[in-house]
C-alpha cells in the first residue's frame, strides 16, 4: 500500500534503527509484498534464498539482515529482524483503527443513497458502496473495502478479514499485519457466510459480473477476473490469480500463488496445485485435464482383474 | 410458486408484451421451474433443446422465442427473451419486499410463544416458527421460511438465502429471481454457520428429525427426507433429492439434480456425481460402492511393484 | 464435567429411578464420556459391546440395562434406557440456562479491560476473556468459554456451539446434551466464520499460539496442541487429538476419535481416517505418507499404456 506522499529512506531507517547501505537519498513510496512491488516500494528479505528475487524486482528499499552492497538504484536497510522491522513500519504507517467501535456503521463511509443496507450489517471506516447494492443482514464489511454498483451480498458474508499469513520464528507464528483492502466490482454477487480476506499490502479483487456462492473462502490478495462462477464451498489460496470467465464447481480447492487461465472449467472437488492453462476442463485432486483423468480412472477400474490375470499366468 | 388465484393468459401476455399462440382462454396458476410444474404452470424455454421436455410436461403456458403451434391444452407466449420475460413476471407477482428492513424481527411473523429466540436473530416477513424451537444468536431467517416444532438452529446459520442460479447471456450471468421458500419440519437441528437456500420457484425441504452439522451448504430446491444425518461441511447442489435415513459424513459433495436413495451411507469427502441406489455404502470421488473402491485402492497400491516386475521381465 | 461437590450414588439412583447393584456407599464426582472418565465418574453403557470398556475404565458408577454384578469398587445403576437416564442427569445438574437472553453480552462474564470487543458480538454466561484480545463483529461466544490473552477472533466465528452427537433409537436421533466447554489458550487466532463446538462433557481445547483460518470446523471435544496451523475449510471430527506443531493445509478432513502426532504436515484436501505418526508428511484421501502416494499416482498414470501393451501382446 502506498504512502500518501513519498518518505525519505533516512526517516524510514531511523524509525526502525537500521543502517542504510547504498543511496541515502532515495524516496520510499509504500510498503509492499514482493509480488506487488513497484519502483519506490519497501520490502524485506527474511531468508537469504529470497534475496535474488528482491534484487531483480522493482523494489527500491530492501530490509535485509546481512551487511552487503546493493545494486545501483536500490538501497539496503540492515536490520537484525527484517520481518519485525517491516511489520513495525506497517503498524506505524497504517495504524490499527478500531475497525468498528461500538456503532454498527461507521460515520466515515460513502454509501450511495440507492443502496439497501439491511438490519444488523456492520460497516467499517473508509468503506464505499455504489448504486443499487443490496447488503443482507449480518454482513460484516471491514475497513477500506470498496464495492461497486449493483452488488448483492447475502447474509453472514465477511468482507475484508485479515490475511492468514505468518512468519515462523523459533516455533511461534508471528502475524504479518494486513494493510490491504478488498475491491468488489460492479454486478458481483456474494453468497451467504462466504469470507473474503483483504490483501496483506494490496488489493483483493472480485471482477465485474463474477458470482460467488455460499461458504466460499477467498484468501488475501486473490484477484478474480470478470464473469467467473465460483460455486459453494470453494477455497482459493492467497495471491492466486483467476482470469476472466473461469468456472469452479463446488468444493474446489486452489492453492496459493498460482494462475488459472481464462475460461478454464474446474470440476467439483478438484484440488488445483499448479497453474492451469485457460480454455480447458480440469478434474481431480491433483487436478489435470479431465480427459486424462477419466482415462486413468477407467484404467484403474480394470487393475484388480489385470492383477488376477497376471498372477494366474504366473502359476 | 402458485398465484393466490388463477390469472388469465391474456393478462400475462399483455404484461410481458408477448403474442399468444393457441388457446387464449387458458388460466395460469403459478410460475414454476420445469422440474416442479403442475397443470396451469407458466414456464419458459430459453433454448430449443429444452422445448420437447416442456411440451411433455404438465405446464400449460410456455414462453418461447420461436413462433409455432402448441399441442392441444397448452398455449405459447412468443417473446424475444423468454428468460427475461419470465423473470419480470416473478418480479411482478412476487415483488421483492425489503426482506428485513431496519427491525431485527418483522411484525409479519407467527412465532409460537414457547419458542426461544435469542439475541441478534433476524427474521423476515411471513416466517412461521413452531413450539419449543430454539434459535441461537445471529441466525438469519429470510422471508417466508416455515419452521416446525422442536427445531434447534445454532448460531450464524442462514436460512432462505437466494438461489445461486443464473442464465448466461452474451458472457454475463443474469440472476434467476428466487420466489421459493424453505420448509424445516419438526425435530430438525441445524448447525452453526450452515446455509440453506430457498427454492427458485418452490420448496427447499428439510425432513422431520434430520440433523445437519456446522458449515453445511444446502442448495436451492433440495429436498431432504426424514431422519438423515448430514455431517459438517457437506454441500448439496440445487434440486437434489435425498430420501429418508441417508447419512453423509463430513465434507461430502453431492451434485445438483440427482437422487440419493433411502438409507444410503456416504463416506467422508466423497463426491457424488450421479444418483445412488438406497441401502448401500458409497465412497470416493467420484463416489461408487465402497467395496469396489476399496478393492481398486488395494490394487492401486500394488501397481508400482507390478510395473517393476513387468519391466524386469521385458529385459 | 465434575459436580461442584460429590453426590451419593443413592441420590443419583433415586433421581433416575434406577436399582443400585454393588456398593451403595459410593460417591459420584461428575458426568463424563467414556474417553474422559476419572475415578468417581458416572457413565452409561447403551450397548452390551461397550460394557467391557466401561468395566476396565476408571468410571465408578455405570448405568446399564442388564441386571448383573459389578466388579469391586464400582456400582451399577440398572435402568431400562441408560442413555435417556444419563441425559436426564445432565439436564438436571447442568440445566440449560438460556445462553444469551436478550442482551448481547451477559453480565456474568470476566472480560479484561484491555480486550477489544467490537460491535454486535454476543457473549454468554460464564465466559472469560484475557488481556489484549480482539473480538471482531458478529462473533458469538457460547456459555462457559474460556479465552486466554492476545487472542484474535475474526468476524462471524461461533465458539462453543453444541456437539453434533446423537443416539439412534428406533430410527430417531436423540441429542446427547452438551455440558462441556471451549478453552482457547494465549496467542491463538481464529478465522472468519469458523465454528468450534464445545465438548459433550468436557473440554474442547485450542493450544497456545495455534492459528486457525476461515470456515474451519472443529468438532466437540477436539484438543489441538500448541503452534499448529489449520488452513481454511479444514474439518476435524469430534474428540480427535492434534499434537503440537501440526500443519493442516486447506480443506483437509480428519475423522473423529483419532490422534495426529507432533509435527505432522497434511497436504491440502487430504482425508485422514486413521491416526498418523508425527514428524511426517501426508497426502491423499485416504491420507498416507506423501512419498507413497506420489509413487502410486505416478504409477497410475502409466496404467492406460500398460493395459494397451498387455492386450496387444495377448493378440
Amino acid at each position: 500500500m502506498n504512502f500518501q506522499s513519498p518518505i525519505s529512506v533516512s526517516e524510514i531507517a531511523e524509525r526502525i534503527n537500521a543502517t542504510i547501505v547504498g543511496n541515502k537519498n532515495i524516496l520510499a513510496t509504500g510498503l509492499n509484498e514482493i509480488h506487488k512491488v513497484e519502483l519506490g516500494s519497501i520490502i524485506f528479505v527474511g531468508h537469504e534464498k529470497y534475496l535474488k528475487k528482491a534484487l531483480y524486482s522493482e523494489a527500491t528499499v530492501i530490509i535485509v539482515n546481512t551487511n552487503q552492497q546493493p545494486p545501483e538504484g536500490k538501497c539496503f536497510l540492515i536490520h537484525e529482524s527484517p520481518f519485525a522491522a517491516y511489520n513495525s513500519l506497517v503498524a506505524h504507517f497504517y495504524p490499527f483503527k478500531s475497525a468498528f467501535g461500538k456503532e454498527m456503521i461507521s460515520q466515515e463511509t460513502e454509501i450511495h443513497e440507492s443502496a439497501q443496507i439491511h438490519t444488523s450489517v456492520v460497516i467499517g471506516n473508509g468503506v464505499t458502496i455504489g448504486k443499487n447494492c443490496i447488503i443482507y443482514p449480518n454482513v460484516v464489511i471491514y475497513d477500506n473495502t470498496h464495492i461497486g454498483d449493483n452488488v448483492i451480498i447475502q447474509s453472514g458474508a465477511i468482507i475484508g478479514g485479515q490475511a492468514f499469513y505468518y512468519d515462523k520464528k523459533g516455533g511461534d507464528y508471528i502475524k504479518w499485519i494486513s494493510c490491504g483492502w478488498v475491491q468488489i466490482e460492479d454486478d458481483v454477487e456474494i453468497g451467504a457466510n462466504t469470507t473474503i480476506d483483504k490483501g496483506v499490502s494490496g488489493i483483493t479483487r472480485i471482477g465485474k459480473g463474477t458470482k460467488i456462492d455460499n461458504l466460499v473462502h477467498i484468501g488475501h490478495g486473490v484477484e478474480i477476473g470478470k464473469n467467473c462462477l465460483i460455486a459453494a464451498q470453494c477455497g482459493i489460496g492467497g495471491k492466486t490469480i483467476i482470469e476472466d470467465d473461469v468456472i469452479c464447481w463446488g468444493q474446489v480447492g486452489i492453492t496459493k500463488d498460482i494462475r488459472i487461465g481464462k475460461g478454464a472449467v474446474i470440476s467439483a472437488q478438484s484440488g488445483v496445485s499448479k497453474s492451469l492453462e485457460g480454455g480447458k476442463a480440469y478434474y481431480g485432486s491433483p487436478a489435470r485435464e479431465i480427459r486424462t483423468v477419466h482415462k486413468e480412472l477407467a484404467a484403474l477400474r480394470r487393475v484388480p482383474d489385470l492383477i488376477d490375470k497376471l498372477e494366474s499366468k504366473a502359476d
Side-chain angles (χ1 to χ4, degrees), chain A:
Chain A
M1 203 171 182
N2 286 345
F3 303 133
Q4 295 198 313
S5 58
I7 293 171
S8 76
V9 74
S10 53
E11 185 185 331
I12 300 289
E14 196 176 332
R15 185 164 298 287
I16 58 173
N17 282 319
T19 309
I20 310 181
V21 179
N23 186 343
K24 291 182 171 60
N25 299 316
I26 279 174
L27 288 175
T29 56
L31 290 153
N32 269 318
E33 295 157 272
I34 183 71
H35 73 296
K36 292 269 184 181
V37 289
E38 307 166 4
L39 208 67
S41 291
I42 304 171
I43 60 169
F44 75 94
V45 172
H47 301 278
E48 191 67 23
K49 62 181 171 183
Y50 298 128
L51 182 59
K52 198 169 169 188
K53 192 171 176 192
L55 292 181
Y56 282 93
S57 78
E58 294 278 332
T60 302
V61 182
I62 306 173
I63 312 174
V64 292
N65 57 12
T66 54
N67 195 337
Q68 52 190 302
Q69 206 59 33
E72 217 189 305
K74 295 197 189 316
C75 91
F76 282 164
L77 300 182
I78 315 296
H79 190 284
E80 211 180 8
S81 304
F83 175 69
Y86 177 91
N87 239 359
S88 75
L89 290 174
V90 175
H92 175 77
F93 288 106
Y94 308 104
F96 177 76
K97 290 200 284 181
S98 173
F100 310 96
K102 284 296 167 210
E103 35 179 29
M104 303 286 286
I105 299 182
S106 160
Q107 300 295 314
E108 296 174 41
T109 59
E110 284 176 44
I111 301 176
H112 193 274
E113 57 179 8
S114 63
Q116 295 181 43
I117 311 296
H118 285 269
T119 185
S120 215
V121 168
V122 179
I123 301 180
N125 297 319
V127 170
T128 61
I129 298 181
K131 290 178 201 156
N132 305 317
C133 290
I134 307 177
I135 314 293
Y136 281 96
N138 280 20
V139 167
V140 176
I141 303 175
Y142 282 68
D143 298 46
N144 300 317
T145 300
H146 299 295
I147 298 177
D149 297 338
N150 312 311
V151 169
I152 298 176
I153 306 182
Q154 300 290 329
S155 288
I158 313 290
I159 314 298
Q162 291 157 11
F164 187 73
Y165 202 28
Y166 301 91
D167 193 60
K168 197 162 188 181
K169 188 157 184 180
D172 294 337
Y173 291 99
I174 313 298
K175 189 196 192 79
W176 189 311
I177 300 173
S178 299
C179 65
W181 69 95
V182 176
Q183 173 99 40
I184 296 175
E185 297 181 355
D186 297 348
D187 306 321
V188 165
E189 296 190 27
I190 293 171
N193 283 343
T194 280
T195 65
I196 302 178
D197 284 355
K198 66 174 65 172
V200 166
S201 67
I203 199 170
T204 299
R205 183 200 312 272
I206 313 295
K208 185 170 188 301
T210 283
K211 314 297 184 188
I212 298 177
D213 202 352
N214 298 345
L215 293 166
V216 168
H217 166 69
I218 309 286
H220 61 88
V222 165
E223 299 200 40
I224 299 182
K226 296 189 202 315
N227 290 325
C228 295
L229 271 193
I230 312 288
Q233 296 176 320
C234 286
I236 302 178
K239 294 179 287 181
T240 278
I241 309 292
I242 312 274
E243 298 183 358
D244 298 346
D245 302 313
V246 167
I247 296 177
C248 297
W249 293 114
Q251 297 185 334
V252 163
I254 300 182
T255 195
K256 63 192 170 75
D257 291 324
I258 64 171
R259 176 179 286 265
I260 309 297
K262 182 174 157 71
V265 176
I266 306 175
S267 292
Q269 287 197 330
S270 295
V272 184
S273 55
K274 292 179 184 163
S275 292
L276 299 179
E277 249 182 79
K280 293 180 175 171
Y282 299 91
Y283 175 53
S285 180
R288 287 164 306 130
E289 270 200 75
I290 199 165
R291 285 173 310 178
T292 312
V293 177
H294 278 154
K295 208 172 148 192
E296 284 172 19
L297 286 174
L300 175 57
R301 289 172 195 191
R302 298 183 54 192
V303 168
D305 276 354
L306 199 68
I307 289 179
D308 285 353
K309 263 188 215 161
L310 286 169
E311 286 182 343
S312 65
K313 240 188 230 173
D315 291 344

